[in-house]
């Protein structure tokens, strides 16, 4: 009978945690719009035919791909087919992955440390701000997190039983994760290898043999899709976005590999200088775009506690990077000190000595600590390009070690001795860190001081009383438990509030993050490259004047106008330079040939992020004079700038009154003025600047046909 009551309480607790996770991830999900428009446009194209689906084509005509592997977007495309291409259709997979991840981490921790630790771990994960923000976005990071947690599930069985089939399954699942976010999936590989290597179910010789075989499986699954794509002739598939030689393998090694480690000599987004927002927070890099293109002043990627993040994440390389006043700390670090203290307490309690004698608890500590440590060091010291939302990779090990740690510290507290002081010390240190992070927002949000007071009362007062109770040798166990629960609640209040804000305010589509600052954002949730009304008149013009052209328009990048056209019309736009405008896809000769065939008519010179732009790019089509401003600016390769320069010479300038709303700014100056307010972290405006010039190449095509 008692067992049944215990089971019911456990089920109720898990149900409540899963309900909380569901609410945080799903409530008002439609607020996010299409989220990251670049990815949304790709999903729209992938719903149209199997070729686009397999090659993750960005545009319906399969001109260029998305710069990521396929699995995450395959899942989104299938969801869009089932639920329709809309906000919910593309975001449900990530929101569901968030909830399932909470359930999986509960199961994993319960196997080793019991239901109480498991419930705490699940609750910590469910309320981690960056984890919630990414669950409400169409980046695929939380699909990866779920995949890696499933890999850890298979690993725990392999380590316990010494069965190679579970190890192979674990590494095969990591390989699937590779096909979601490439090398990011390998962040968990050290944990898997070390955990299995230190297990004792089979001999060391067999463990090494199993790992060698498992490595082959990992590599085969990881590179299978990329290998197949590279075997397909270039003429029969889209260009591999962000690669230098139209190869998935180069994309893996370069843009999605060495560049993330700061080792890419020809980085498409490297270098640059650290910028600061209006309130002084370090916020990442400018000048880091291809060719040294700088983000326009006032349009920098905002930072600072929840507003988004820089191209490099913000902050100088050090162990304190994730604690300083930048765009990173408030997204993940709230419970980090508690996890560290908890790990230390668990190690002391379990008498962590080799051999481990096939101990589930010790294996769990190895697994979670070896996931946490390398990833923490990477984000602390890397000089490569990463975005704040990548920090969701830290959420599972922090959450797991918090659950394990609180239970372990509680056991040590009850036993007495010097180890009993770890529990109140952990609460106090974590509380101080939370106060530090909250202080970054003290002047910008009235809610901050109330959170400080609530956290201080619940956490610090409870911790002090725990100390007094220990000194007075009070044996009232109910009092001690209530103090423990109160302190934990105090530490969870702020991250829960940070996460809860996302239910009422949209996160930034291309740089998802949670927190109080998004309450003052004017973001409409439509993501990179989209301001919902900016391109309406342009789209109407193109639909009216285009006839049989394959491409509605040619632009510099996949961001902005191209994404907007694909999402709203389902028609193709040629992004000449891919995602950032730096890809060398077509030569001028090839482009002229497409124009002559009638596949291309309208070209936007400038106006998109990565394209050259000038208010006087061309004084007169008949004069044949082109301003030097038309030449490659920033992201454009020399090859692409030649095409744009030629288009401005050969084409007929279309009057702005025909395709652009007169009330919209024709250059970036007014946008810069509007965006100087650090609270407006809309990133979608890149493609909505409308500072470009539209050229019609029909006369040129007709002249070629008449020859």
């Amino acid at each position: 009978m008692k067992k049944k009551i215990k089971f019911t309480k456990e089920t109720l607790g898990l149900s409540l945690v899963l309900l909380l996770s569901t609410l945080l991830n799903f409530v008002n999900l439609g607020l996010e719009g299409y989220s990251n428009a670049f990815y949304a446009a790709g999903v729209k194209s992938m719903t149209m035919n199997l070729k686009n689906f397999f090659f993750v084509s960005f545009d319906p005509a399969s001109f260029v791909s998305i710069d990521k592997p396929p699995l995450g977007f395959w899942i989104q495309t299938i969801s869009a087919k089932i639920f329709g291409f809309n906000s919910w259709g593309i975001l449900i997979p990530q929101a569901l992955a968030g909830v399932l991840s909470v359930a999986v981490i509960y199961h994993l921790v319960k196997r080793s440390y019991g239901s109480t630790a498991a419930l705490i771990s699940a609750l910590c994960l469910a309320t981690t701000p960056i984890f919630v923000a990414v669950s409400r976005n169409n980046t695929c990071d939380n699909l990866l997190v779920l995949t890696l947690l499933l890999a850890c599930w298979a690993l725990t069985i392999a380590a316990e039983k010494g069965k190679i089939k579970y190890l192979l399954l674990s590494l095969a699942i990591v390989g699937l994760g590779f096909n979601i976010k490439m090398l990011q999936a390998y962040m968990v590989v050290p944990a898997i290898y070390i955990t299995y290597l230190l297990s004792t179910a089979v001999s060391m010789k067999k463990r090494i043999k199993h790992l060698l075989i498992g490595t082959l499986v990992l590599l085969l699954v990881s590179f299978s899709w990329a290998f197949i794509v590279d075997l397909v002739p270039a003429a029969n598939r889209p260009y591999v976005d962000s690669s230098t030689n139209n190869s998935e393998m180069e994309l893996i090694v370069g843009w999605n590999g060495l560049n993330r480690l700061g080792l890419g000599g020809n980085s498409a987004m490297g270098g640059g200088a650290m910028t600061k927002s209006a309130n002084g927070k370090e916020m990442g890099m400018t000048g880091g775009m291809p060719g040294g293109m700088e983000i326009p002043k006032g349009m920098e990627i905002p930072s600072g506690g929840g507003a988004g993040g820089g191209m490099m994440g913000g902050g100088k390389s050090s162990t304190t990077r994730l604690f300083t006043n930048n765009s990173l700390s408030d997204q993940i670090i709230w419970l980090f000190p508690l996890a560290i203290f908890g790990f230390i307490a668990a190690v002391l309690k379990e008498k962590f000595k080799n051999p481990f004698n096939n101990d589930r608890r010790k294996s769990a500590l190895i697994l979670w600590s070896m996931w946490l440590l390398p990833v923490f060091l990477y984000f602390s010291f890397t000089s490569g390009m990463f975005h704040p939302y990548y920090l969701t990779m830290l959420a599972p090990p922090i959450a797991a070690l918090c659950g394990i740690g609180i239970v372990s510290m509680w056991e040590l507290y009850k036993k007495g001795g010097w180890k009993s002081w770890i529990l109140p010390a952990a609460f106090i240190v974590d509380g101080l860190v939370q106060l530090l992070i909250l202080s970054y927002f003290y002047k910008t949000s009235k809610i901050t001081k109330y959170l400080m007071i609530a956290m201080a009362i619940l956490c610090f007062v409870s911790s002090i009383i725990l100390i007094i109770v220990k000194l007075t040798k009070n044996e009232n166990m109910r009092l001690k438990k209530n103090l423990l629960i109160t302190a934990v609640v105090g530490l969870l209040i702020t991250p829960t509030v940070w996460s809860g804000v996302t239910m009422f305010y949209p996160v930034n589509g291309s740089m998802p993050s949670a927190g109080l600052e998004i309450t003052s954002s004017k973001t409409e949730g439509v993501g990179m490259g989209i301001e919902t009304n900016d391109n309406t008149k342009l789209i109407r013009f193109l639909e009216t004047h285009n006839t049989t052209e394959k491409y509605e328009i040619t632009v510099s990048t996949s961001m902005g106008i191209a994404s907007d056209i694909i999402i709203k019309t389902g028609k193709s736009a040629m992004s000449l330079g891919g995602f950032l405008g730096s890809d060398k896809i077509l030569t001028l000769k090839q482009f002229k040939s497409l124009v002559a065939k009638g596949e291309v008519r309208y070209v936007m010179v400038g106006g998109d992020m990565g394209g050259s732009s000038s208010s006087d790019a061309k004084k007169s089509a008949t004069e044949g004079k082109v301003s030097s401003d038309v030449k490659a600016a920033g992201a454009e390769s020399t090859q692409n700038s030649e095409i744009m320069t030629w288009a401005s010479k050969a084409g007929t300038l279309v009057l702005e009154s025909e395709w652009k709303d007169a009330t919209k700014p024709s250059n970036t100056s007014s946008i810069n003025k509007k965006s100087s307010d650090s609270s407006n972290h809309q990133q979608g405006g890149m493609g909505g600047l409308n500072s470009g010039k539209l050229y019609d190449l029909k006369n040129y095509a007709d002249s070629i046909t008449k020859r």
Side-chain angles (χ1 to χ4, degrees):
M1 185 67 179
K2 290 183 178 180
K3 186 176 181 180
K4 184 176 181 180
I5 294 173
K6 184 178 179 181
F7 176 79
T8 302
K9 288 181 178 179
E10 178 185 343
T11 303
L12 176 61
L14 178 60
S15 299
L16 290 175
V17 172
L18 291 176
L19 176 61
L20 175 61
S21 179
T22 301
L23 292 174
L24 288 172
N25 292 357
F26 280 93
V27 169
N28 282 334
L29 193 58
L31 280 175
E32 309 303 337
Y34 291 111
S35 205
N36 188 309
F38 171 62
Y39 295 147
V43 170
K44 179 70 173 283
S45 300
M46 291 166 66
T47 61
M48 295 181 178
N49 58 62
L50 288 176
K51 178 182 179 181
N52 290 350
F53 179 82
F54 181 78
F55 293 110
V56 286
S57 177
F58 164 72
D59 58 284
S62 211
F63 178 73
V64 66
S65 72
I66 298 175
D67 63 341
K68 294 292 184 292
L71 186 54
F73 298 109
W74 285 350
I75 295 172
Q76 288 183 23
T77 302
I78 293 170
S79 176
K81 278 289 191 180
I82 296 172
F83 300 104
F85 180 77
N86 51 51
S87 180
W88 280 83
I90 62 176
L91 296 181
I92 280 177
Q94 292 73 241
L96 184 59
V99 178
L100 292 176
S101 295
V102 172
V104 174
I105 202 169
Y106 169 83
H107 175 75
L108 285 171
V109 175
K110 182 183 176 182
R111 289 189 81 251
S112 55
Y113 275 86
S115 58
T116 301
L119 285 172
I120 296 172
S121 297
L123 180 60
C124 291
L125 182 62
T127 56
T128 299
I130 194 61
F131 179 78
V132 173
V134 175
S135 293
R136 300 175 64 90
N137 185 264
N138 60 339
T139 59
C140 297
D141 292 68
N142 274 2
L143 286 170
L144 174 61
V145 166
L146 174 60
T147 302
L148 297 182
L149 285 171
L150 291 173
C152 288
W153 162 78
L155 170 73
T156 57
I157 299 176
E160 181 182 340
K161 299 182 178 181
K163 292 187 176 180
I164 188 174
K165 64 180 181 180
Y166 286 104
L167 178 66
L168 298 184
L169 175 61
S170 175
L171 291 172
I173 294 174
V174 175
L176 293 177
F178 185 93
N179 283 286
I180 295 176
K181 290 283 290 187
M182 290 189 175
L183 289 175
Q184 187 176 332
Y186 285 2
M187 283 182 163
V188 78
V189 167
I192 291 176
Y193 277 61
I194 293 172
T195 301
Y196 191 76
L197 198 62
L198 294 178
S199 65
T200 56
V202 293
S203 66
M204 176 62 76
K205 184 177 180 180
K206 282 190 175 182
R207 278 175 266 161
I208 294 174
K209 180 181 178 181
H210 292 175
L211 286 171
L212 289 174
I213 297 172
T215 300
L216 292 176
V217 172
L218 172 64
L219 295 176
L220 284 173
V221 177
S222 295
F223 292 93
S224 56
W225 178 81
F227 182 74
I228 294 171
V229 170
D230 284 351
L231 286 178
V232 176
N236 298 330
R237 59 172 173 80
Y239 184 92
V240 177
D241 192 286
S242 297
S243 69
T244 58
N245 63 357
N246 196 13
S247 163
E248 287 289 344
M249 291 298 181
E250 196 283 328
L251 177 67
I252 293 168
V253 175
W255 173 245
N256 286 327
L258 295 178
N259 281 303
R260 312 291 164 158
L261 299 173
L263 302 175
N266 296 317
S267 171
M269 190 183 286
M274 189 69 65
T275 63
K276 294 186 178 182
S277 65
N279 60 1
K281 293 184 177 70
E282 290 183 344
M283 52 190 265
M285 308 296 286
T286 59
M289 295 307 219
M293 180 187 75
E294 293 193 4
I295 299 174
K297 184 178 180 181
M299 293 289 289
E300 300 97 343
I301 296 169
S303 112
M311 291 299 180
M312 225 192 69
K316 296 179 181 179
S317 297
S318 73
T319 53
T320 62
R321 174 190 271 178
L322 299 184
F323 296 86
T324 53
N325 191 8
N326 55 40
S327 61
L328 308 177
S329 56
D330 71 312
Q331 297 304 302
I332 190 64
I333 217 68
W334 301 105
L335 299 175
F336 181 81
L338 188 64
I340 297 301
F341 273 90
F343 170 71
I344 294 172
V347 168
L348 292 173
K349 184 178 180 298
E350 301 303 327
K351 298 178 181 179
F352 210 79
K353 294 180 181 180
N354 196 31
F356 299 111
N357 298 323
N358 203 27
D359 188 300
R360 281 188 180 184
R361 292 194 165 197
K362 293 175 181 177
S363 292
L365 288 175
I366 296 170
L367 173 64
W368 296 117
S369 62
M370 287 299 100
W371 180 337
L372 178 65
L373 181 61
V375 179
F376 173 78
L377 292 176
Y378 169 77
F379 287 126
S380 296
F381 290 99
T382 183
S383 60
M385 188 205 70
F386 75 88
H387 302 307
Y389 60 86
Y390 294 178
L391 292 171
T392 193
M393 289 290 294
L394 277 171
I398 289 176
L401 289 174
C402 279
I404 291 170
I406 289 172
V407 169
S408 298
M409 288 186 290
W410 172 244
E411 292 296 325
L412 293 176
Y413 181 82
K414 290 190 297 181
K415 285 184 179 180
W418 69 269
K419 297 175 185 177
S420 64
W421 300 108
I422 298 177
L423 179 66
F427 288 153
I428 291 172
V429 171
D430 201 273
L432 289 173
V433 169
Q434 291 202 14
L435 284 179
L436 174 66
I437 299 172
L438 283 169
S439 70
Y440 302 150
F441 303 87
Y442 190 79
K443 295 181 179 180
T444 58
S445 175
K446 295 180 180 179
I447 301 176
T448 303
K449 61 182 179 181
Y450 299 114
L451 290 173
M452 285 180 161
I453 293 171
M455 191 280 297
I457 293 175
L458 294 175
C459 178
F460 292 150
V461 173
S462 296
S463 299
I464 292 171
I465 297 176
L466 279 170
I467 293 173
I468 294 173
V469 167
K470 177 58 65 176
L471 289 173
T472 58
K473 298 182 179 180
N474 189 317
E475 299 301 326
N476 189 334
M477 192 58 62
R478 177 175 293 183
L479 172 63
K480 294 177 181 178
K481 284 185 178 180
N482 289 337
L483 290 170
L484 172 71
I485 294 170
T486 302
V488 172
V489 170
L491 292 177
L492 286 174
I493 285 178
T494 301
T496 302
V497 170
W498 239 248
S499 300
V501 169
T502 62
M503 295 190 293
F504 309 101
Y505 297 88
V507 303
N508 189 289
S510 53
M511 293 286 179
S513 59
L516 295 180
E517 282 199 2
I518 68 174
T519 63
S520 60
S521 166
K522 297 177 182 179
T523 299
E524 297 300 327
V526 288
M528 181 173 279
I530 298 292
E531 281 185 359
T532 43
N533 297 318
D534 276 0
N535 300 315
T536 301
K537 190 170 182 178
L538 171 62
I539 292 173
R540 190 184 307 119
F541 172 85
L542 294 173
E543 289 181 323
T544 302
H545 291 79
N546 272 327
T547 51
T548 60
E549 288 80 16
K550 184 177 182 179
Y551 301 97
E552 286 286 282
I553 194 172
T554 296
V555 293
S556 297
T557 80
S558 299
M559 297 183 282
I561 293 171
S563 296
D564 204 3
I565 287 174
I566 293 170
I567 289 173
K568 293 179 179 177
T569 70
K571 297 180 180 179
S572 193
M574 177 188 289
S575 51
L576 193 61
F579 176 58
L580 287 174
S582 59
D583 294 343
K584 300 176 182 179
I585 304 176
L586 292 178
T587 63
L588 177 58
K589 181 179 180 181
Q590 291 171 325
F591 185 77
K592 286 181 179 180
S593 175
L594 294 178
V595 174
K597 292 177 182 178
E599 294 185 7
V600 174
R601 177 175 177 180
Y602 291 103
V603 178
M604 180 70 71
V605 178
D608 257 0
M609 183 180 179
S612 54
S613 61
S614 172
S615 59
D616 60 347
K618 184 179 180 186
K619 292 183 179 180
S620 169
T622 57
E623 289 178 355
K625 297 179 181 179
V626 182
S627 166
S628 60
D629 292 331
V630 173
K631 295 180 180 180
E636 280 194 338
S637 66
T638 302
Q639 183 170 297
N640 294 339
S641 68
E642 287 180 356
I643 294 174
M644 288 299 186
T645 300
W646 173 82
S648 64
K649 289 180 179 179
T652 302
L653 181 65
V654 181
L655 296 176
E656 289 187 354
S657 59
E658 294 188 44
W659 61 271
K660 183 163 62 176
D661 192 330
T663 62
K664 298 292 180 182
S666 59
N667 55 58
T668 61
S669 61
S670 59
I671 293 290
N672 292 339
K673 182 178 180 181
K674 175 183 177 182
S675 301
S676 62
D677 179 1
S678 64
S679 67
N680 179 11
H681 62 258
Q682 168 79 21
Q683 286 200 185
M686 298 299 186
L689 297 178
N690 281 345
S691 59
K693 300 293 180 180
L694 185 65
Y695 294 92
D696 185 351
L697 295 174
K698 188 175 187 304
N699 289 339
Y700 172 83
D702 290 344
S703 67
I704 296 296
T705 303
K706 292 177 182 178
R707 292 179 186 176

